[in-house]
């Protein structure tokens, strides 16, 4: 597999990188990664170092999770959690004033919150804390399966960020200072169901155009449906259909900022599946994993110095001509992410 030569402005597909190539031809993998980071902002990672049996077990649990009695799901609704973890009903979110046609659970890696009422600690520590879990008797083994999956993807995310640093001509540990010690870190994930739309006149917005906020996202497309689309620089929507044994990896706005725009955050959306001949008859399922950075990190305080030959690669990429995304406000002066996007809980 060679390094793609198509321009970032007109990419017509999302590149596929094979993790196994690292043991055969690491320089080629790094070159392919550099191209995907700078010109696309999205990639498929095939043969990832996450146990296939764990992925398969998680996928088997997903329909059972959404099939739980409504009262069992509502018992762990997000409104109960100071950490914004838990269940959200179908249609509970808006993007750009339109309803997102999805139902979801927000979970996170294990973490004991450092926030205590009245304690002399920053209020933002309250953002991280334990997940809410469905009753174990109703879905035995689900919690341990998801926690095991999260642990493996977490380790992959740390390995990947080291490879990203190498692709940009930096020491492999150049981005490690954005993370804290393991007990002070937490990463988040969702399990999402996009029900099939049977009304021909209904809008098919699963989730509207947006950028991710943080560093890296690792998406498991857990059913055979198309739906994920990526927007190139000229404003075209490019399909990113499921490919077996892959994750879709994409760049968030925070990583774009600290890499001086080298790593490209790319607008994307999901279309909910529609009923029709030849189409799957079950909902679309996905499991995104969002890699966080330390709660105490201030991105503007960190200055990364890139080789000139790496910085010049960005010049040939061009600028965004059109995007439908007004999802995220990011303060470049302070390096603080403002989640003041056109999206809210109902």
């Amino acid at each position: 597999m060679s390094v793609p030569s198509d321009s970032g402005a007109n990419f017509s597909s999302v590149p596929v990188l094979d993790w196994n190539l690292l043991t055969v031809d690491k320089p080629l993998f790094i070159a392919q990664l550099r191209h995907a980071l700078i010109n696309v902002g999205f990639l498929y990672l095939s043969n990832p170092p996450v146990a296939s049996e764990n992925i398969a077990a998680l996928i088997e649990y997903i329909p059972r999770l959404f099939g739980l009695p409504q009262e069992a799901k509502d018992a762990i609704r997000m409104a109960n959690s100071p950490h914004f973890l838990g269940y959200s009903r179908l249609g509970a979110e808006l993007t750009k004033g339109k309803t997102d046609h999805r139902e979801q659970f927000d979970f996170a890696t294990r973490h004991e919150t450092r926030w205590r009422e009245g304690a002399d600690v920053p209020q933002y520590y309250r953002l991280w804390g334990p997940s809410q879990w469905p009753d174990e008797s109703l879905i035995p083994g689900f919690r341990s399966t998801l926690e095991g999956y999260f642990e493996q993807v977490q380790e992959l995310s740390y390995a990947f960020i080291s490879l990203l640093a190498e692709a940009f001509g930096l020491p492999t540990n150049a981005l490690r200072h954005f993370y804290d010690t393991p007990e002070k870190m937490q990463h988040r994930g969702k399990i999402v169901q996009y029900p099939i739309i049977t009304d021909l006149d209904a809008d098919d917005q699963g989730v509207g155009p947006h950028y991710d906020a943080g560093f890296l996202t690792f998406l498991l497309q857990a059913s055979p449906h198309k739906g994920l689309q990526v927007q190139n620089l000229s404003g075209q929507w490019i399909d990113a259909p499921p490919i077996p044994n892959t994750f879709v990896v994409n760049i968030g706005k925070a990583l774009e900022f600290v890499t001086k725009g080298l790593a490209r955050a790319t607008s994307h959306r999901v279309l909910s599946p529609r009923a029709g001949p030849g189409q799957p008859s079950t909902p679309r399922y996905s499991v995104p994993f969002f890699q966080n950075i330390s709660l105490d990190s201030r991105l503007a305080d960190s200055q990364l110095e890139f080789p000139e030959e790496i910085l010049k690669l960005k010049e040939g990429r061009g600028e965004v001509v059109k995007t439908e995304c007004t999802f995220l406000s990011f303060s470049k002066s302070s390096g603080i992410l403002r989640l003041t996007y056109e999206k809210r809980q109902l």
Side-chain angles (χ1 to χ4, degrees):
M1 186 186 298
S2 61
V3 180
S5 59
D6 56 317
S7 72
N10 295 308
F11 70 86
S12 57
S13 62
V14 175
V16 180
L17 278 68
D18 186 350
W19 185 264
N20 290 339
L21 186 61
L22 283 167
T23 59
V24 178
D25 192 341
K26 185 177 181 181
L28 178 56
F29 181 93
I30 294 297
Q32 293 175 355
L33 177 59
R34 185 183 304 116
H35 166 83
L37 295 170
I38 293 174
N39 295 307
V40 185
F42 266 76
L43 60 95
Y44 290 97
L45 185 65
S46 67
N47 299 307
V50 176
S52 58
E53 59 269 24
N54 195 300
I55 293 174
L58 176 59
I59 290 174
E60 286 187 11
Y61 270 115
I62 293 175
R64 295 173 56 190
L65 178 67
F66 287 100
L68 291 174
Q70 190 62 49
E71 60 270 22
K73 295 187 284 188
D74 288 339
I76 59 169
R77 63 188 185 276
M78 187 181 287
N80 297 338
S81 170
H83 319 299
F84 303 98
L85 297 168
Y87 171 70
S88 298
R89 284 192 175 212
L90 177 66
E93 291 185 344
L94 304 177
T95 303
K96 299 186 70 175
K98 294 169 59 177
T99 299
D100 291 336
H101 192 71
R102 63 176 178 171
E103 180 183 8
Q104 63 189 17
F105 293 83
D106 284 69
F107 297 104
T109 57
R110 296 184 184 97
H111 182 75
E112 183 176 342
T113 185
R114 291 180 280 165
W115 179 84
R116 297 290 185 275
E117 187 75 49
D120 185 22
V121 296
Q123 283 294 310
Y124 55 76
Y125 283 1
R126 190 175 185 176
L127 292 171
W128 290 358
S131 297
Q132 298 187 88
W133 296 98
D135 189 325
E136 180 71 14
S137 66
L138 296 176
I139 188 165
F142 166 73
R143 176 176 179 173
S144 61
T145 297
L146 183 59
E147 288 184 329
Y149 171 82
F150 277 172
E151 287 176 2
Q152 292 183 62
V153 181
Q154 171 184 273
E155 292 309 306
L156 168 60
S157 76
Y158 288 142
F160 195 90
I161 208 72
S162 296
L163 293 167
L164 181 148
E166 189 172 349
F168 287 155
L170 301 175
T172 56
N173 64 352
L175 297 169
R176 292 296 298 182
H177 64 282
F178 290 111
Y179 309 100
D180 215 321
T181 53
E183 71 277 5
K184 294 181 180 179
M185 285 301 303
Q186 185 173 47
H187 307 286
R188 302 175 73 92
K190 294 176 182 285
I191 300 181
V192 187
Q193 174 178 260
Y194 299 90
I196 289 182
I197 297 175
T198 56
D199 183 353
L200 295 179
D201 296 323
D203 190 90
D204 62 355
Q205 175 170 294
V207 58
H210 65 282
Y211 298 102
D212 289 349
F215 263 30
L216 294 169
T217 301
F218 293 80
L219 174 69
L220 171 64
Q221 299 195 83
S223 61
H225 309 74
K226 292 182 178 180
L228 176 63
Q229 294 186 325
V230 180
Q231 196 168 31
N232 66 15
L233 292 181
S234 59
Q236 298 170 305
W237 286 106
I238 307 301
D239 284 327
I243 298 177
N245 197 29
T246 66
F247 288 128
V248 177
V249 184
N250 68 279
I251 304 303
K253 276 291 184 181
L255 188 56
E256 181 182 70
F257 175 74
V258 301
T259 61
K260 301 181 180 179
L262 277 170
R264 180 186 167 207
T266 301
S267 174
H268 52 287
R269 68 181 182 184
V270 175
L271 303 180
S272 290
R274 287 191 179 276
Q279 299 300 314
S281 59
T282 55
R284 180 182 187 271
Y285 299 118
S286 67
V287 186
F289 176 96
F290 305 102
Q291 186 199 55
N292 280 327
I293 57 175
S294 169
L295 284 173
D296 295 316
S297 286
R298 280 186 67 87
L299 303 184
D301 293 341
S302 178
Q303 296 294 322
L304 298 174
E305 298 299 328
F306 298 92
E308 281 299 318
E309 63 270 20
I310 297 295
L311 291 172
K312 287 181 179 179
L313 295 175
K314 186 177 67 170
E315 297 174 3
R317 179 177 66 195
E319 299 296 329
V320 175
V321 175
K322 179 182 177 183
T323 179
E324 297 177 26
C325 181
T326 56
F327 186 41
L328 181 68
S329 171
F330 185 74
S331 171
K332 292 186 177 180
S333 60
S334 66
I336 296 174
L337 289 168
R338 294 199 194 102
L339 299 184
T340 55
Y341 37 99
E342 296 181 61
K343 183 183 184 77
R344 61 182 181 272
Q345 286 290 126
L346 299 179

